[in-house]
Coordinates of all heavy atoms in Angstrom, one line a residue:
M1 N 18.1 -23.6 19.2 CA 18.9 -24.4 18.4 C 18.9 -23.8 17.0 O 17.8 -23.3 16.5 CB 18.3 -25.8 18.4 CG 19.1 -26.8 17.7 SD 18.4 -28.5 17.8 CE 19.4 -29.1 19.1
Y2 N 20.0 -23.9 16.3 CA 20.0 -23.4 14.9 C 19.1 -24.2 14.0 O 19.0 -25.4 14.2 CB 21.5 -23.6 14.4 CG 22.5 -22.6 15.0 CD1 23.3 -23.1 15.9 CD2 22.5 -21.3 14.6 CE1 24.3 -22.3 16.5 CE2 23.4 -20.5 15.2 CZ 24.3 -21.0 16.1 OH 25.2 -20.1 16.7
P3 N 18.4 -23.6 13.1 CA 17.5 -24.3 12.2 C 18.2 -25.4 11.5 O 17.7 -26.5 11.3 CB 17.0 -23.2 11.2 CG 17.1 -22.0 12.0 CD 18.3 -22.1 12.9
A4 N 19.4 -25.2 11.0 CA 20.2 -26.2 10.2 C 20.5 -27.4 11.1 O 20.4 -28.6 10.7 CB 21.4 -25.6 9.6
A5 N 20.9 -27.1 12.4 CA 21.2 -28.2 13.3 C 20.0 -29.0 13.6 O 20.0 -30.2 13.8 CB 21.8 -27.6 14.6
L6 N 18.8 -28.4 13.7 CA 17.6 -29.1 14.0 C 17.2 -30.0 12.8 O 16.9 -31.2 13.0 CB 16.4 -28.1 14.2 CG 15.1 -28.6 14.5 CD1 15.1 -29.4 15.8 CD2 14.1 -27.5 14.6
Q7 N 17.4 -29.5 11.6 CA 17.1 -30.4 10.4 C 18.1 -31.6 10.4 O 17.7 -32.7 10.1 CB 17.2 -29.6 9.1 CG 16.1 -28.6 9.0 CD 14.7 -29.3 8.9 OE1 14.6 -30.4 8.4 NE2 13.7 -28.7 9.5
R8 N 19.4 -31.3 10.7 CA 20.4 -32.4 10.7 C 20.0 -33.5 11.7 O 20.1 -34.7 11.5 CB 21.8 -31.9 10.9 CG 22.4 -31.3 9.7 CD 23.9 -31.1 9.9 NE 24.2 -30.3 11.1 CZ 24.3 -29.0 11.1 NH1 24.1 -28.3 9.9 NH2 24.6 -28.3 12.1
A9 N 19.5 -33.0 12.9 CA 19.1 -33.9 13.9 C 18.0 -34.8 13.5 O 17.8 -35.9 14.0 CB 18.8 -33.1 15.2
R10 N 17.1 -34.2 12.6 CA 16.0 -35.0 12.1 C 16.4 -35.9 10.9 O 15.5 -36.5 10.3 CB 14.9 -34.1 11.7 CG 14.2 -33.4 12.9 CD 13.1 -32.5 12.4 NE 12.5 -31.8 13.5 CZ 11.9 -30.7 13.5 NH1 11.7 -30.0 12.3 NH2 11.3 -30.1 14.5
G11 N 17.7 -35.8 10.5 CA 18.1 -36.7 9.4 C 18.1 -36.0 8.1 O 18.3 -36.7 7.1
K12 N 17.7 -34.7 8.0 CA 17.6 -34.0 6.7 C 18.7 -32.9 6.8 O 18.6 -32.0 7.6 CB 16.2 -33.4 6.5 CG 15.2 -34.5 6.5 CD 13.8 -33.8 6.3 CE 12.7 -34.8 6.3 NZ 11.4 -34.2 6.3
E13 N 19.6 -33.0 5.9 CA 20.6 -31.9 5.8 C 20.1 -30.7 5.1 O 19.5 -30.8 4.0 CB 21.8 -32.5 5.0 CG 23.0 -31.5 4.9 CD 23.7 -31.3 6.2 OE1 23.7 -32.2 7.0 OE2 24.2 -30.1 6.4
V14 N 20.2 -29.6 5.7 CA 19.8 -28.3 5.1 C 21.0 -27.4 5.1 O 21.6 -27.1 6.1 CB 18.6 -27.7 5.9 CG1 18.3 -26.3 5.4 CG2 17.4 -28.6 5.9
K15 N 21.3 -26.8 3.9 CA 22.5 -25.9 3.9 C 21.9 -24.5 3.8 O 21.1 -24.2 2.9 CB 23.3 -26.2 2.7 CG 24.0 -27.5 2.8 CD 25.0 -27.8 1.7 CE 25.6 -29.1 1.9 NZ 26.6 -29.4 0.9
M16 N 22.2 -23.7 4.8 CA 21.7 -22.4 4.9 C 22.8 -21.4 5.2 O 23.6 -21.7 6.1 CB 20.6 -22.3 6.0 CG 20.1 -20.9 6.3 SD 18.9 -20.8 7.6 CE 18.8 -22.4 8.4
Q17 N 22.9 -20.3 4.4 CA 24.0 -19.4 4.7 C 23.4 -18.3 5.7 O 22.4 -17.7 5.4 CB 24.5 -18.7 3.4 CG 25.7 -17.8 3.7 CD 26.3 -17.3 2.4 OE1 25.8 -17.5 1.3 NE2 27.3 -16.5 2.6
V18 N 24.1 -18.2 6.8 CA 23.6 -17.2 7.8 C 24.5 -16.0 7.8 O 25.7 -16.1 7.7 CB 23.7 -17.9 9.2 CG1 23.3 -16.9 10.3 CG2 22.8 -19.1 9.2
L19 N 23.9 -14.8 7.8 CA 24.6 -13.6 7.7 C 24.5 -12.8 9.1 O 23.4 -12.8 9.7 CB 24.0 -12.7 6.6 CG 24.0 -13.3 5.2 CD1 23.3 -12.4 4.3 CD2 25.4 -13.5 4.7
T20 N 25.5 -12.2 9.4 CA 25.5 -11.3 10.6 C 24.8 -10.0 10.2 O 24.6 -9.7 9.0 CB 26.9 -10.9 11.1 OG1 27.6 -10.2 10.0 CG2 27.7 -12.2 11.5
V21 N 24.6 -9.1 11.2 CA 24.0 -7.8 10.9 C 24.9 -7.0 9.9 O 24.5 -6.4 8.9 CB 23.8 -7.0 12.2 CG1 23.4 -5.6 11.9 CG2 22.6 -7.7 13.0
K22 N 26.2 -7.0 10.2 CA 27.2 -6.3 9.4 C 27.2 -6.8 7.9 O 27.1 -6.1 7.0 CB 28.6 -6.4 10.0 CG 29.6 -5.7 9.2 CD 31.0 -5.8 9.8 CE 32.0 -5.1 9.0 NZ 33.4 -5.2 9.6
E23 N 27.2 -8.2 7.8 CA 27.2 -8.7 6.4 C 25.9 -8.4 5.7 O 25.9 -8.1 4.5 CB 27.3 -10.3 6.5 CG 28.7 -10.7 7.0 CD 28.8 -12.1 7.4 OE1 27.8 -12.7 7.7 OE2 29.9 -12.7 7.3
T24 N 24.7 -8.4 6.4 CA 23.5 -8.1 5.8 C 23.4 -6.7 5.3 O 23.0 -6.4 4.2 CB 22.3 -8.4 6.8 OG1 22.4 -9.8 7.2 CG2 21.0 -8.1 6.2
C25 N 23.9 -5.8 6.2 CA 24.0 -4.4 5.8 C 24.9 -4.1 4.6 O 24.5 -3.4 3.7 CB 24.5 -3.5 7.0 SG 23.4 -3.3 8.3
E26 N 26.0 -4.8 4.5 CA 26.9 -4.7 3.4 C 26.2 -5.2 2.1 O 26.3 -4.6 1.0 CB 28.2 -5.4 3.6 CG 29.1 -4.7 4.7 CD 30.3 -5.5 5.1 OE1 30.5 -6.7 4.6 OE2 31.1 -5.0 5.9
L27 N 25.5 -6.4 2.2 CA 24.8 -7.0 1.1 C 23.7 -6.0 0.5 O 23.6 -5.9 -0.7 CB 24.3 -8.3 1.5 CG 23.6 -9.1 0.4 CD1 24.6 -9.5 -0.7 CD2 23.0 -10.4 0.9
L28 N 23.0 -5.5 1.4 CA 21.8 -4.6 1.0 C 22.3 -3.2 0.8 O 21.5 -2.3 0.3 CB 20.7 -4.6 2.1 CG 20.0 -5.9 2.2 CD1 19.0 -5.9 3.4 CD2 19.2 -6.3 1.0
R29 N 23.5 -2.8 1.2 CA 24.1 -1.5 1.1 C 23.2 -0.5 1.9 O 22.8 0.6 1.4 CB 24.2 -1.1 -0.3 CG 25.2 -1.9 -1.1 CD 25.4 -1.4 -2.5 NE 26.4 -2.3 -3.1 CZ 26.6 -2.4 -4.4 NH1 25.9 -1.6 -5.2 NH2 27.4 -3.2 -4.9
I30 N 22.9 -0.9 3.1 CA 22.1 0.0 4.0 C 22.9 0.1 5.4 O 23.8 -0.7 5.7 CB 20.7 -0.5 4.3 CG1 20.7 -1.9 4.8 CG2 19.9 -0.5 3.0 CD1 19.4 -2.5 5.2
C31 N 22.5 1.0 6.2 CA 23.1 1.2 7.5 C 22.3 0.3 8.5 O 21.2 -0.2 8.3 CB 23.1 2.6 8.0 SG 21.5 3.3 8.3
R32 N 22.9 0.1 9.7 CA 22.3 -0.7 10.8 C 20.9 -0.2 11.2 O 20.0 -1.0 11.5 CB 23.2 -0.8 12.0 CG 24.4 -1.6 11.8 CD 25.3 -1.5 13.0 NE 26.5 -2.4 12.9 CZ 26.6 -3.6 13.5 NH1 25.6 -4.0 14.2 NH2 27.6 -4.3 13.3
T33 N 20.8 1.1 11.2 CA 19.5 1.7 11.6 C 18.4 1.3 10.6 O 17.3 1.0 11.0 CB 19.6 3.3 11.7 OG1 20.7 3.6 12.6 CG2 18.3 3.9 12.2
T34 N 18.7 1.4 9.3 CA 17.7 1.0 8.3 C 17.4 -0.5 8.4 O 16.2 -0.9 8.4 CB 18.2 1.3 6.9 OG1 18.6 2.7 6.8 CG2 17.2 1.0 5.8
L35 N 18.4 -1.3 8.7 CA 18.1 -2.7 8.9 C 17.2 -3.0 10.1 O 16.3 -3.8 10.0 CB 19.4 -3.5 9.0 CG 19.3 -5.0 9.2 CD1 18.6 -5.6 8.0 CD2 20.7 -5.6 9.4
W36 N 17.5 -2.3 11.2 CA 16.7 -2.4 12.4 C 15.2 -2.0 12.1 O 14.3 -2.7 12.5 CB 17.2 -1.5 13.5 CG 16.4 -1.6 14.7 CD1 16.4 -2.5 15.7 CD2 15.4 -0.6 15.1 NE1 15.5 -2.2 16.7 CE2 14.9 -1.0 16.3 CE3 14.9 0.6 14.5 CZ2 13.9 -0.3 17.0 CZ3 13.9 1.3 15.2 CH2 13.4 0.8 16.4
S37 N 15.1 -0.9 11.3 CA 13.7 -0.4 10.9 C 13.0 -1.5 10.1 O 11.8 -1.7 10.3 CB 13.9 0.9 10.2 OG 12.6 1.4 9.8
L38 N 13.7 -2.1 9.1 CA 13.0 -3.1 8.3 C 12.6 -4.3 9.1 O 11.5 -4.9 8.9 CB 14.0 -3.6 7.2 CG 14.3 -2.6 6.1 CD1 15.5 -3.1 5.2 CD2 13.1 -2.3 5.3
R39 N 13.4 -4.6 10.1 CA 13.0 -5.8 11.0 C 11.8 -5.4 11.9 O 10.9 -6.2 12.1 CB 14.2 -6.1 11.9 CG 14.0 -7.4 12.7 CD 15.2 -8.0 13.2 NE 14.9 -9.2 13.9 CZ 15.4 -9.6 15.0 NH1 16.3 -8.9 15.7 NH2 15.0 -10.7 15.6
K40 N 11.8 -4.2 12.4 CA 10.7 -3.7 13.2 C 9.4 -3.7 12.5 O 8.4 -4.0 13.0 CB 11.1 -2.3 13.8 CG 10.1 -1.7 14.7 CD 10.7 -1.4 16.0 CE 9.7 -0.7 16.9 NZ 9.6 -1.3 18.2
K41 N 9.5 -3.3 11.2 CA 8.3 -3.2 10.3 C 7.8 -4.6 9.9 O 6.7 -4.8 9.4 CB 8.6 -2.4 9.1 CG 8.7 -1.0 9.3 CD 9.1 -0.3 8.0 CE 9.4 1.2 8.2 NZ 9.9 1.8 6.9
G42 N 8.7 -5.6 10.1 CA 8.3 -7.0 9.7 C 8.7 -7.4 8.3 O 8.4 -8.4 7.8
E43 N 9.5 -6.5 7.6 CA 9.9 -6.7 6.3 C 11.0 -7.8 6.2 O 11.1 -8.5 5.2 CB 10.3 -5.4 5.6 CG 9.1 -4.5 5.4 CD 9.5 -3.2 4.6 OE1 10.3 -3.3 3.7 OE2 9.0 -2.2 5.0
L44 N 11.8 -7.8 7.2 CA 12.9 -8.9 7.4 C 12.7 -9.5 8.8 O 12.4 -8.8 9.7 CB 14.3 -8.3 7.3 CG 14.7 -7.8 5.9 CD1 16.0 -7.1 6.0 CD2 14.7 -8.9 4.9
K45 N 12.8 -10.8 8.9 CA 12.6 -11.4 10.2 C 13.9 -11.6 11.0 O 13.9 -11.1 12.1 CB 11.9 -12.8 9.9 CG 10.6 -12.6 9.4 CD 9.9 -14.0 9.1 CE 8.6 -13.8 8.4 NZ 8.4 -14.8 7.4
G46 N 14.9 -12.2 10.5 CA 16.1 -12.5 11.3 C 15.7 -13.4 12.5 O 14.6 -13.7 12.7
F47 N 16.8 -13.8 13.2 CA 16.6 -14.6 14.4 C 17.7 -14.4 15.3 O 18.8 -13.9 15.0 CB 16.5 -16.1 14.0 CG 17.7 -16.7 13.3 CD1 18.7 -17.3 14.0 CD2 17.8 -16.6 11.9 CE1 19.8 -17.8 13.3 CE2 18.9 -17.1 11.2 CZ 19.9 -17.7 11.9
N48 N 17.4 -14.6 16.6 CA 18.4 -14.3 17.7 C 19.1 -15.6 18.1 O 18.4 -16.6 18.3 CB 17.7 -13.7 18.9 CG 17.1 -12.4 18.6 OD1 17.7 -11.6 18.0 ND2 15.9 -12.1 19.1
V49 N 20.4 -15.5 18.3 CA 21.1 -16.6 18.9 C 22.1 -16.0 19.8 O 23.0 -15.2 19.4 CB 21.9 -17.4 17.8 CG1 22.8 -18.5 18.4 CG2 20.9 -18.0 16.8
G50 N 22.0 -16.3 21.1 CA 23.0 -15.8 22.1 C 23.0 -14.3 22.1 O 24.1 -13.7 22.3
G51 N 21.9 -13.7 22.0 CA 21.8 -12.2 22.1 C 22.3 -11.5 20.8 O 22.3 -10.2 20.8
R52 N 22.6 -12.2 19.8 CA 22.9 -11.6 18.5 C 21.9 -11.9 17.4 O 21.2 -12.9 17.5 CB 24.3 -12.1 18.0 CG 25.4 -11.7 19.0 CD 26.7 -12.3 18.5 NE 27.1 -11.6 17.2 CZ 28.1 -12.0 16.4 NH1 28.7 -13.1 16.7 NH2 28.3 -11.4 15.3
V53 N 21.7 -11.0 16.5 CA 20.7 -11.2 15.4 C 21.4 -11.7 14.1 O 22.5 -11.2 13.8 CB 20.0 -9.8 15.1 CG1 19.0 -10.0 14.0 CG2 19.3 -9.4 16.4
F54 N 20.8 -12.6 13.5 CA 21.3 -13.2 12.2 C 20.2 -13.2 11.2 O 19.0 -13.2 11.6 CB 21.8 -14.6 12.4 CG 23.0 -14.7 13.3 CD1 22.9 -14.9 14.7 CD2 24.3 -14.5 12.8 CE1 24.0 -14.9 15.5 CE2 25.4 -14.6 13.7 CZ 25.2 -14.8 15.0
Y55 N 20.5 -13.2 9.9 CA 19.6 -13.3 8.8 C 20.1 -14.4 7.9 O 21.3 -14.6 7.8 CB 19.5 -12.0 8.1 CG 19.1 -10.8 8.9 CD1 20.0 -10.1 9.7 CD2 17.7 -10.5 9.0 CE1 19.6 -9.0 10.5 CE2 17.3 -9.4 9.8 CZ 18.2 -8.7 10.5 OH 17.8 -7.7 11.3
T56 N 19.1 -15.0 7.2 CA 19.5 -16.0 6.2 C 19.6 -15.3 4.9 O 18.9 -14.4 4.6 CB 18.5 -17.2 6.1 OG1 17.3 -16.6 5.6 CG2 18.3 -17.9 7.4
K57 N 20.6 -15.8 4.1 CA 20.8 -15.2 2.8 C 19.5 -15.4 1.9 O 19.2 -14.5 1.1 CB 22.0 -15.8 2.1 CG 22.4 -15.1 0.8 CD 23.8 -15.4 0.4 CE 24.2 -14.5 -0.8 NZ 25.5 -14.9 -1.3
D58 N 18.9 -16.5 2.0 CA 17.6 -16.8 1.3 C 16.6 -15.7 1.6 O 15.9 -15.2 0.7 CB 17.1 -18.1 1.6 CG 17.9 -19.3 1.1 OD1 18.7 -19.0 0.2 OD2 17.7 -20.4 1.6
E59 N 16.5 -15.3 2.9 CA 15.5 -14.3 3.2 C 15.9 -12.9 2.6 O 15.0 -12.2 2.1 CB 15.5 -14.1 4.8 CG 14.5 -13.0 5.2 CD 14.6 -12.8 6.7 OE1 15.4 -13.4 7.4 OE2 13.7 -12.0 7.2
I60 N 17.2 -12.6 2.5 CA 17.6 -11.4 2.0 C 17.3 -11.4 0.5 O 16.9 -10.4 -0.1 CB 19.1 -11.1 2.3 CG1 19.4 -11.1 3.8 CG2 19.6 -9.8 1.6 CD1 18.5 -10.2 4.6
V61 N 17.6 -12.5 -0.2 CA 17.4 -12.6 -1.6 C 15.9 -12.4 -1.9 O 15.5 -11.7 -2.9 CB 17.9 -13.9 -2.2 CG1 17.4 -14.2 -3.6 CG2 19.4 -13.9 -2.1
E62 N 15.0 -13.1 -1.1 CA 13.6 -12.9 -1.3 C 13.1 -11.5 -1.1 O 12.2 -11.0 -1.8 CB 12.8 -13.8 -0.3 CG 12.9 -15.3 -0.6 CD 12.3 -16.2 0.5 OE1 11.6 -15.6 1.4 OE2 12.6 -17.4 0.4
Y63 N 13.7 -10.8 -0.1 CA 13.4 -9.4 0.1 C 13.7 -8.5 -1.1 O 12.9 -7.7 -1.5 CB 14.1 -8.9 1.4 CG 14.0 -7.4 1.6 CD1 12.8 -6.9 2.0 CD2 15.0 -6.5 1.4 CE1 12.6 -5.5 2.2 CE2 14.9 -5.2 1.5 CZ 13.7 -4.7 2.0 OH 13.6 -3.3 2.1
I64 N 14.9 -8.8 -1.7 CA 15.3 -8.0 -2.9 C 14.4 -8.3 -4.0 O 14.0 -7.4 -4.8 CB 16.8 -8.4 -3.2 CG1 17.7 -7.8 -2.1 CG2 17.2 -7.8 -4.6 CD1 19.2 -8.4 -2.3
E65 N 14.0 -9.5 -4.2 CA 13.1 -9.9 -5.3 C 11.7 -9.2 -5.1 O 11.1 -8.8 -6.0 CB 12.9 -11.4 -5.4 CG 14.1 -12.1 -5.9 CD 14.1 -13.6 -5.9 OE1 13.1 -14.2 -5.3 OE2 15.0 -14.2 -6.4
R66 N 11.2 -9.1 -3.8 CA 10.0 -8.4 -3.5 C 10.1 -7.0 -3.9 O 9.2 -6.4 -4.5 CB 9.6 -8.6 -2.1 CG 9.0 -9.9 -1.7 CD 8.3 -9.9 -0.3 NE 9.1 -9.2 0.7 CZ 9.9 -9.9 1.6 NH1 10.0 -11.2 1.5 NH2 10.5 -9.2 2.6
L67 N 11.2 -6.3 -3.6 CA 11.4 -4.9 -4.0 C 11.4 -4.7 -5.5 O 10.8 -3.8 -6.0 CB 12.8 -4.4 -3.4 CG 12.8 -4.2 -1.9 CD1 14.3 -3.8 -1.5 CD2 11.8 -3.2 -1.4
R68 N 12.1 -5.7 -6.2 CA 12.1 -5.5 -7.7 C 10.7 -5.7 -8.3 O 10.4 -5.1 -9.3 CB 13.1 -6.6 -8.2 CG 14.5 -6.2 -8.0 CD 15.4 -7.2 -8.7 NE 16.8 -6.8 -8.4 CZ 17.8 -7.6 -8.7 NH1 17.6 -8.8 -9.2 NH2 19.0 -7.2 -8.5
S69 N 9.9 -6.6 -7.7 CA 8.6 -6.9 -8.3 C 7.6 -5.8 -8.0 O 6.6 -5.6 -8.7 CB 8.0 -8.2 -7.8 OG 7.8 -8.1 -6.4
N70 N 7.9 -4.9 -7.0 CA 7.0 -3.8 -6.7 C 7.3 -2.6 -7.6 O 6.5 -1.6 -7.5 CB 7.2 -3.4 -5.2 CG 6.6 -4.4 -4.3 OD1 5.7 -5.2 -4.7 ND2 7.0 -4.5 -3.1
K71 N 8.3 -2.6 -8.4 CA 8.6 -1.5 -9.2 C 7.8 -1.5 -10.5 O 7.3 -2.3 -11.0 CB 10.1 -1.5 -9.6 CG 11.0 -1.1 -8.4 CD 12.4 -0.9 -8.8 CE 13.2 -0.4 -7.7 NZ 14.6 -0.2 -8.0

């Protein structure tokens, strides 16, 4: 079940922007292979729905902030 749907079912509305692999790659300006590698290393989590992988925009923003803070 989608996380947002689960929260709505519990009576709490949660607005979450979900990104496809393509949208995530475009946002980060990386290729699919690099995204896959980041997921494999545990740097990005993502989630599966119906055999497809999705990422939340919040997770991507947090990842970018972690990169900036490490410089």
